[in-house]
Amino acid sequence: MTLLDILQNKPTLYGSIMVKGSQKIGSFRPKYNKYTNTIQYAYYTEKGNRGQVGFSLNTGYHLLNKGQLSLDPEKGKIGNYL
């Protein structure tokens, strides 16, 4: 998937990332950020609760290409990481 595909389609990404020593497992959905006037990825837990973590579409593209995040919803389940 190219950066242009990410910018146009804004797919939901699944997987695990580390933030300040804490592992975040779940989905990352596109959401409008009113402070920066852009679309960014926001973290959602497996139960659907929104977390504090977020990153840009460009960062999402790089994490997808590195293999940390995936388009497969199975990667967003906690049971796959235990």
Side-chain angles (χ1 to χ4, degrees), residues 2 5 9 12 18 20 27 29 48 57 66 71-72 82:
T2 65
D5 292 334
N9 300 329
T12 299
M18 291 292 288
K20 296 182 183 178
S27 63
R29 301 180 203 157
L57 295 175
K66 284 178 31 179
L71 298 173
D72 180 18
L82 297 178

Side-chain angles (χ1 to χ4, degrees), residues 34-50:
K34 66 181 179 181
Y35 300 109
T36 60
N37 196 26
T38 59
I39 302 292
Q40 295 183 335
Y41 278 108
Y43 167 66
Y44 288 85
T45 64
E46 191 173 6
K47 293 181 180 179
N49 299 324
R50 188 172 184 280

